[in-house]
Amino acid sequence: MITSSAIWILILAICPIILYSYLVYKLAPNKFISTHRARRYLVLGLLSPMLVFLIYFIFPDWGEPKHTNAILSLILYAFIQVGMLEETIKYTSFWWVGKERISEKYDLPIATMFYSMMTAVGFAITENIAYLIQAQNNCAEIHEMIRLIEMRSLTAVIAHMICGVIMGYFLAKSRQVTDTIFLKNKINKIKYIFMGIFWASLFHGVYDYNYMLPMHNYSWTFSIIILIFGLIIGKFIINKLIKQSVELRTYKN
């Protein structure tokens, strides 16, 4: 049975994500980003964690650290088993929506980045709900669930969005490759796509690895430092892509 408390917790889990996305959207000049297209990326982003669950179902040991060396085990787990897996799935979702769109190649760089971020936003919303369900199944108290969502809204959600911005930057660059030689053009596009997945996975892995280390008293402090660093990078990326988009729009007009 759905209770009013559960509804408010669900709203608390989703609203900050929508607010963060809106703030990024408002940074871009008017009509540079299509909200209609953004919704399509958001919807598939919402569904994308099911691929993570599928991987865990097919490979039950994938979600557990494997190496005998404790530090190396955590590094592999944070950067490969979690970070790279989730970022690859986010890219797959982004690619799938783009594959169904005829006008994808006309997206401005800032729009490409925003759609990548919206895929990450959808992933973060579903992940938040999954954590809520898990907490409820473990008979967590209401105040514990609220604290969980507050923590995730202030840290994990922002981390996912930063990963989306980082990946979106390289995806935008992949669409700006205009080499006349077909093979060279294709190789450079693929190079930027892999760079996007790699750097997003690296940031994701650093964030997760911080929480896996046995120094819980400092994890919150380090996570804030990591996120501030990521937000600075994100702001630089957004400003750069806006500038490129303005130049392209002016050139076309």
Side-chain angles (χ1 to χ4, degrees):
M1 181 177 179
I2 300 176
T3 65
S4 59
S5 297
I7 292 174
W8 279 112
I9 292 173
L10 184 61
I11 291 172
L12 184 63
I14 295 174
C15 281
I17 305 173
I18 303 301
L19 177 60
Y20 298 151
S21 304
Y22 179 74
L23 291 174
V24 176
Y25 171 75
K26 293 302 290 183
L27 287 174
N30 188 34
K31 296 183 179 180
F32 274 36
I33 297 170
S34 167
T35 54
H36 174 71
R37 294 169 194 161
R39 286 197 298 269
R40 296 170 66 179
Y41 288 95
L42 174 65
V43 169
L44 203 59
L46 287 166
L47 299 176
S48 60
M50 288 194 295
L51 291 176
V52 177
F53 303 148
L54 180 62
I55 295 293
Y56 287 161
F57 177 76
I58 297 174
F59 306 101
D61 295 335
W62 184 263
E64 298 293 335
K66 296 178 179 180
H67 203 276
T68 52
N69 181 285
I71 298 297
L72 184 57
S73 178
L74 289 179
I75 291 174
L76 291 174
Y77 182 65
F79 288 86
I80 306 297
Q81 293 172 243
V82 177
M84 188 161 287
L85 172 65
E86 292 189 4
E87 297 308 320
T88 301
I89 285 174
K90 289 178 195 174
Y91 169 72
T92 303
S93 300
F94 175 90
W95 168 81
W96 184 264
V97 177
K99 176 176 169 289
E100 300 299 312
R101 288 182 51 217
I102 299 174
S103 60
E104 179 196 33
K105 62 182 179 180
Y106 300 113
D107 290 340
L108 291 169
I110 188 63
T112 299
M113 183 282 297
F114 188 79
Y115 301 149
S116 171
M117 192 194 75
M118 290 307 292
T119 305
V121 164
F123 189 100
I125 289 174
T126 301
E127 191 177 61
N128 269 5
I129 294 171
Y131 272 96
L132 278 175
I133 293 171
Q134 184 179 27
Q136 192 174 55
N137 290 339
N138 292 334
C139 301
E141 297 291 337
I142 294 296
H143 70 274
E144 293 175 339
M145 295 172 68
I146 291 175
R147 185 173 181 276
L148 169 67
I149 289 304
E150 285 176 344
M151 291 283 289
R152 289 194 57 79
S153 295
L154 291 171
T155 56
V157 168
I158 297 176
H160 274 298
M161 293 181 70
I162 292 170
C163 289
V165 170
I166 293 171
M167 187 184 297
Y169 171 74
F170 288 100
L171 295 179
K173 287 184 72 68
S174 74
R175 294 180 180 178
Q176 295 171 35
V177 175
T178 56
D179 294 304
T180 54
I181 302 174
F182 175 79
L183 182 60
K184 186 177 180 182
N185 188 298
K186 203 72 175 175
I187 290 172
N188 283 334
K189 285 180 181 292
I190 293 172
K191 179 189 73 174
Y192 280 123
I193 289 169
F194 274 101
M195 286 175 67
I197 295 173
F198 171 79
W199 288 109
S201 301
L202 183 64
F203 183 85
H204 195 143
V206 169
Y207 174 82
D208 284 350
Y209 183 68
N210 169 58
Y211 277 105
M212 294 175 187
L213 290 174
M215 51 179 189
H216 301 292
N217 293 335
Y218 301 99
S219 295
W220 172 257
T221 303
F222 283 121
S223 71
I224 295 300
I225 294 172
I226 292 166
L227 290 177
I228 290 173
F229 179 71
L231 288 170
I232 292 171
I233 293 175
K235 187 65 168 64
F236 174 79
I237 288 173
I238 291 170
N239 288 343
K240 185 172 182 179
L241 292 182
I242 288 175
K243 182 180 178 182
Q244 291 177 2
S245 299
V246 170
E247 291 172 353
L248 284 171
R249 177 61 65 85
T250 303
Y251 174 77
K252 289 179 181 179
N253 292 337

